[in-house]
């Protein structure tokens, strides 16, 4: 992935563009870098043209502005190759953003994947209460806090040493002001439940049972009762940052749950045949 990030949100793109493949748009967690999808990129490129959203570290925009900026990026991609499906994948914080995008442009997305979405934040009242006072924490403590948070964010035994180091480095790279802003966005997050009920495209809800940060399984079950065409996939041994785990292959999860429509299957067949 290309690490260069503009002042506005942008898409990180792989070295090899595949405009004839379905577009796969990944929305990252609180870090906003898009860099942590690197362990999944090669697998996804079997059937997709992958884009990772990168949100600048200084970005303190509202949900509405962020949603519109991402929609602009997607439409710009589709101008290059309009007749192709769009898969939207949001993880944690990105899972909230994905829900905002889905209700703002319900006909734009062929498939939606929500992975441990942070919309479950409201299910932990203590978090909501504590987050209101997080601005009192000195910025110098955030570096220490990132290390302390690591075991809650990930099941470290299931992640390679290099990826653990990359996760910690990424967490420490986000300014405290940005962390506080994104926490406030999660705390204030809401989406019209009736609008969610009107989404007819298939939705895959991926939930980690060993998520020590958020009640992701409960949230997946809640969303499954709202979204009419959804399926819950439970990862029994995974933590919150499940996509970093060596045994997790998102493309294979989608394939095993019959979540790939014909164009993605055709793209995979082309690669195998080639």
């Amino acid at each position: 992935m290309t690490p260069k990030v503009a002042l506005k949100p942008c898409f990180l793109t792989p070295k090899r563009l595949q405009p004839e493949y379905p577009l796969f748009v990944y929305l990252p967690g609180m870090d906003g870098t898009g860099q942590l999808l690197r362990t999944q990129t090669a697998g996804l490129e079997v059937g997709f043209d992958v884009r990772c959203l990168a949100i600048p570290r200084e970005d303190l925009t509202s949900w509405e502005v962020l949603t519109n900026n991402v929609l602009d990026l997607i439409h710009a991609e589709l101008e290059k190759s309009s007749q192709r499906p769009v898969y939207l994948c949001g993880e944690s914080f990105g899972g909230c953003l994905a829900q905002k995008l889905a209700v703002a442009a319900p006909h734009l997305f062929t498939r939606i994947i929500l992975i441990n979405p942070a919309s479950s934040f409201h299910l932990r009242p203590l978090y909501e209460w504590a987050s209101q006072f997080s601005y009192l924490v000195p910025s110098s403590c955030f570096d220490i806090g990132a290390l302390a948070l690591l075991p809650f964010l990930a099941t470290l035994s299931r992640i390679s040493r290099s990826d653990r180091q990359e996760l910690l480095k990424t967490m420490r790279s986000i300014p405290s002001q940005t962390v506080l802003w994104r926490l406030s966005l999660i705390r204030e997050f809401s989406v019209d439940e009736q609008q969610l009920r009107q989404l007819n495209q298939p939705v895959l809800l991926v939930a980690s049972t060993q998520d020590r940060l958020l009640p992701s399984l409960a949230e997946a079950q809640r969303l499954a009762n709202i979204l009419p065409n959804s399926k819950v996939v439970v990862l029994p041994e995974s933590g919150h940052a499940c996509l970093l785990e060596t045994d997790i292959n998102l493309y294979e999860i989608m394939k095993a749950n019959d979540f790939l429509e014909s164009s993605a299957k055709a793209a995979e067949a082309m690669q195998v045949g080639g």
Side-chain angles (χ1 to χ4, degrees):
M1 293 289 171
T2 308
K4 186 177 180 181
V5 177
L7 292 177
K8 287 182 69 174
C10 68
F11 280 155
L12 305 183
T13 59
K15 292 178 181 176
R16 182 180 60 174
L17 300 180
Q18 304 178 121
E20 70 278 12
Y21 285 12
L23 182 65
F24 187 96
V25 176
Y26 171 74
L27 310 176
M30 278 275 288
D31 64 285
T33 63
Q35 296 288 340
L36 295 177
L37 189 70
R38 62 180 189 161
T39 57
Q40 300 292 332
T41 306
L44 290 167
E45 286 179 353
V46 169
F48 296 104
D49 192 21
V50 180
R51 299 290 182 276
C52 295
L53 178 68
I55 308 171
R57 289 182 296 177
E58 300 78 14
D59 189 294
L60 302 177
T61 52
S62 66
W63 280 123
E64 182 181 6
V65 172
L66 187 55
T67 299
N68 289 333
N69 283 340
V70 177
L71 285 175
D72 287 345
L73 289 171
I74 294 172
H75 285 302
E77 290 293 333
L78 292 177
E79 283 179 10
K80 305 169 191 173
S81 181
S82 59
Q83 301 301 317
R84 59 174 174 165
V86 181
Y87 283 59
L88 180 68
C89 177
E91 181 181 18
S92 191
F93 177 88
C96 294
L97 181 56
Q99 292 175 60
K100 291 282 189 183
L101 287 166
V103 298
H107 304 297
L108 185 60
F109 306 106
T110 309
R111 299 279 194 275
I112 298 170
I113 306 108
L114 301 177
I115 303 170
N116 297 328
S119 49
S120 61
F121 191 78
H122 70 280
L123 298 178
R124 290 261 168 95
L126 180 61
Y127 280 12
E128 291 204 56
W129 178 82
S131 68
Q132 296 178 55
F133 301 97
S134 54
Y135 68 93
L136 297 172
V137 178
S139 57
S140 58
C141 293
F142 275 77
D143 200 45
I144 302 169
L147 186 60
L149 189 62
L150 209 57
F152 293 90
L153 192 60
T155 303
L156 299 179
S157 61
R158 293 171 57 84
I159 300 176
S160 70
R161 179 187 295 270
S162 62
D163 285 334
R164 289 199 300 268
Q165 292 172 342
E166 187 66 26
L167 176 60
L168 182 59
K169 178 183 173 183
T170 300
M171 290 170 63
R172 284 176 163 168
S173 72
I174 311 303
S176 58
Q177 183 184 16
T178 304
V179 173
L180 294 175
W181 176 254
R182 290 177 187 167
L183 265 178
S184 74
L185 287 181
I186 292 175
R187 189 172 67 242
E188 297 162 6
F189 174 80
S190 66
V191 64
D192 190 317
E193 192 172 297
Q194 193 54 42
Q195 287 182 294
L196 286 178
R197 291 186 187 279
Q198 292 171 4
L199 296 175
N200 294 315
Q201 61 268 74
V203 180
L204 199 64
L205 300 164
V206 181
S208 298
T209 303
Q210 302 303 317
D211 190 336
R212 298 173 66 191
L213 190 67
L214 292 171
S216 292
L217 183 57
E219 178 66 359
Q221 292 166 341
R222 184 188 75 85
L223 288 170
N225 289 327
I226 297 171
L227 295 159
N229 192 8
S230 59
K231 180 178 184 179
V232 176
V233 175
V234 178
L235 305 180
E237 297 179 14
S238 293
H240 186 70
C242 60
L243 295 187
L244 282 174
E245 296 175 8
T246 53
D247 292 340
I248 298 299
N249 184 311
L250 180 56
Y251 186 82
E252 291 300 326
I253 289 172
M254 294 165 67
K255 192 174 178 180
N257 287 278
D258 198 25
F259 200 70
L260 301 174
E261 40 83 66
S262 57
S263 59
K265 292 177 183 177
E268 180 182 8
M270 285 170 58
Q271 291 232 12
V272 173

